[in-house]
Amino acid sequence: MAMAAIISAPVSAASSVLVKNVNGYTLDTSGNLVRFKRLLIEDGKVVTVDPKPQMGTDGVRVLNGQGKTLLPGMIDAHGHLLGLGSNLLEVDLRSATSADDAAQQVAAYALGHGEQAWITGRGWNQEQWPDRAFPVAAQLDKHISDRPVWLARVDAHAGWANTKALELAGITKETPDPEGGQIIRDEQGNATGVLIDNAKDLVEQVMPTTTTAQLSQQLDAASAHLLANGVTAMHDAGISHRVYDFYLAKAVEGDLQVRIYAMLSATDPALDQLLDNGIVRDANDFLFIRSVKAYGDGALGSRGAALLAPYSDAPHQQGLMLTPPDAFAPLFNQVIQAGFQLNFHAIGDRANHLALNQFEQTFASHGGAELRNRIEHAQVIAPEDIARFAQLSVLPSMQPTHATSDKNMAEDRIGKKRMEGAYAWQSLLKSGIAVPLGSDFPVELANPFYGLHAAVTRQDRNNQPVAGWYPHEAMSLKQAFRGFTLDAAYAAHMEEALGTLTPGKWGDFILIDQDIFAIEPQDIWKTKVLETWVAGEQVFSQPVQSVD
């Protein structure tokens, strides 16, 4: 297997930084919780916690933490970096209370962006609306008919187009559903404006190509947002050849601010070439490429998650397989034989079952279990498949806020019986497998304290339901903290460099405004990041509030 190397700009780190007077928490290499009051960093890396007080400070920059709580930088094990940047720079529909409200928000955005040929946005969720019905093109047409509009659902597994966008995509009554996708139609067979999973490509392939300057804007916006939320590293779940080249150039220039563990997109036409390039690792660990993201099924909210039995609220549907099952073996074998970790998107129990079967078959014929292969999301698992994750050493990479966002519709979709294996964090942990945690931003908000709160309480940020949603699957705070630090680093083959503040690892840490280990769990989500440091250098500071 070829090994590719890149030479990046050196980290601009002070020779030594001593952080004192802090309420510090980290895990040790065995996962035990360690407390400390002082932290010494040299050349960007941790030397020790609690250095001797009599140590000289000549040439050492001293930071007084003023008793604030210090944690390792958070690692989000599943997100979409440029998707987040794009979301921050376009119309955000998370707050929309109905399809008409969303259309009005889009109209207001379009009014202020007359220069944009396409109006784009993201975040609508019909499950949060009173009628829980998919929107239609006509609702957008009332406000914008002269320019195409394309709005991704909150999970990005569906999109909402106006008539102009449908026309540009050539979608008519006669257009067939593509494999792994669905065009939502009215009773006459006409496209209503919502496209599910692979059908989205019909519109997206006629949209203008994002320029390199726009990619840079997205990268800068997303990086600033993550650092302000205490996220110093993230796993980018599916990048194209173009983004691969873009990230490499940024790494060489020393322009990456957040550490990126990037997954190549299995659907990229250049996958063979990218695998032949071999593993890429920046000397300063701002870019590491050694995995592939493959796409099993769709999402639960749009009924695209592939189920073993029909949906409880739609008996004629069982979801969509975005990668046909007969294509699993060649894909799994190719990626794993190249020495790359395979990270497979599977939400429904059928997609999870098929993925575990294929991992088992590939390991038997080609090996590769040591690559720490992953199933991304692992939301609904047949109970008999839960133990197989540990047996096969396949990591379930999960997102706690998905559970608290989905709680209003998940039981409707799959019924109470199948909930036994749904969002089953504690069951998976008890089986003996690590559970790396993330947010799936911008599907969910990127704030890791929202994720910690959801993992521990199984409640939304209104503290509902009072007793927690299927609370027996909640994590302890230590388990959740590990999921966003050490286990997330392990899932990226980076536990020797990231995830804890132990000697030799990068000095990535955050200062926060409350001790999450000493407060009521229901208040964890309220945590504010005061400062963020990467490799011993401050990269974010909460603005000081002026007093009038």
Side-chain angles (χ1 to χ4, degrees), residues 195-210:
L195 309 176
I196 307 293
D197 287 313
N198 287 351
K200 298 188 290 92
D201 295 344
L202 299 172
V203 168
E204 291 173 352
Q205 66 191 4
V206 300
M207 295 175 68
T209 301
T210 305

Side-chain angles (χ1 to χ4, degrees), residues 98-166:
S98 66
D100 287 336
D101 180 39
Q104 289 172 18
Q105 290 187 34
V106 173
Y109 176 88
L111 188 63
H113 294 80
E115 79 288 354
Q116 293 186 7
W118 280 68
I119 301 301
T120 59
R122 181 169 176 164
W124 61 271
N125 183 358
Q126 85 284 357
E127 291 298 327
Q128 303 296 327
W129 300 342
D131 60 5
R132 300 179 72 176
F134 277 134
V136 296
Q139 290 163 309
L140 292 171
D141 295 341
K142 286 191 299 185
H143 302 280
I144 310 169
S145 58
D146 59 336
R147 282 187 283 173
V149 178
W150 179 241
L151 309 168
R153 191 181 184 276
V154 64
D155 58 11
H157 283 275
W160 175 20
N162 69 347
T163 297
K164 185 72 171 179
L166 294 175

Side-chain angles (χ1 to χ4, degrees), residues 305-378:
L307 302 181
L308 292 167
Y311 277 83
S312 296
D313 60 354
H316 59 291
Q317 294 186 39
Q318 282 187 240
L320 302 167
M321 291 302 301
L322 306 188
T323 300
D326 60 5
F328 278 27
L331 173 62
F332 280 57
N333 296 345
Q334 177 192 19
V335 172
I336 288 172
Q337 283 186 287
F340 276 61
Q341 174 195 60
L342 180 62
N343 302 334
F344 194 84
H345 167 115
I347 288 181
D349 53 11
R350 179 172 184 245
N352 277 280
H353 181 73
L354 292 175
L356 291 168
N357 286 352
Q358 188 57 58
F359 276 124
E360 185 172 14
Q361 293 168 23
T362 295
F363 296 161
S365 57
H366 299 288
E370 75 285 353
L371 294 173
R372 305 179 192 177
N373 303 283
R374 297 159 47 168
I375 289 183
E376 303 300 311
H377 309 306

